[in-house]
Amino acid sequence: MVYPTGTPVQETILDHVKTTLAAIASPTYHTTVIEVTRLRGDNLFEMPQRPCVVISVPDVEDTDTTLAMIAKEMRFTCRCALDDRTDAQEAVGWFIQDIRHALTRDITRGGVAVDTHVTGSIPFQSDQLSSICGADVLVHIQFRHLYDDPNTPI
């Protein structure tokens, strides 16, 4: 059998997450995201524009099943940041809720995932010399693909 070519289900899901987060904008949301990036590390101080989101490298756990498929649990962090010294706590709180709402509007990530959960958040604020604040939003996505084809969702 020839190994399949194309886009793995995991990459399709992460691309959907990136597109979903990039669409966060007023008037639907309280925050308007300017930039979303993947695999850039977690240094938000280097991001040229804020509000922004950095999607971390996912941790993926595989489970072989008896049904010719592999079930996967993918966990990653959406590190979001914005510039706000007037009411950082409220702004970060709304940013977290905007991300939660955006990611749970379509829990199937366009029909390729089984479920999407936002499992928590960890707010942070930079030192007094910077106005950067934000949160790490923890995301858990379940998905499946054929045992011998990581590109075909089940």
Side-chain angles (χ1 to χ4, degrees), residues 47-65:
M47 296 295 286
Q49 298 180 335
R50 284 175 287 281
C52 64
V53 180
V54 176
I55 302 169
S56 71
V57 176
D59 176 32
V60 181
E61 181 181 323
D62 296 4
T63 303
D64 289 354
T65 69

Side-chain angles (χ1 to χ4, degrees), residues 24-25 30-31 36 52 58 60 70 73 75-76 78-79 81 85 94 97 102 113 127 133 137 141 143 146 151 153-154:
I24 293 175
H30 287 82
T31 311
V36 179
C52 64
V60 181
I70 297 176
E73 307 269 334
R75 292 173 180 83
F76 57 91
C78 293
R79 178 161 271 199
R85 276 289 184 214
W94 278 118
Q97 292 308 311
D127 60 29
C133 56
V137 179
I141 298 177
F143 65 99
L146 289 176
N151 303 335
I154 298 177

Side-chain angles (χ1 to χ4, degrees), residues 41-107:
D42 63 354
N43 192 348
L44 295 169
F45 293 96
E46 294 179 6
M47 296 295 286
Q49 298 180 335
R50 284 175 287 281
C52 64
V53 180
V54 176
I55 302 169
S56 71
V57 176
D59 176 32
V60 181
E61 181 181 323
D62 296 4
T63 303
D64 289 354
T65 69
T66 58
L67 303 173
M69 68 178 178
I70 297 176
K72 296 197 174 203
E73 307 269 334
M74 177 168 56
R75 292 173 180 83
F76 57 91
T77 301
C78 293
R79 178 161 271 199
C80 60
L82 48 89
D83 288 311
D84 192 326
R85 276 289 184 214
T86 57
D87 195 352
Q89 188 173 7
E90 182 177 354
V92 169
W94 278 118
F95 202 175
I96 292 167
Q97 292 308 311
D98 289 345
I99 289 173
R100 175 183 298 278
H101 183 263
L103 289 178
T104 56
R105 287 183 73 183
D106 176 9
I107 61 170

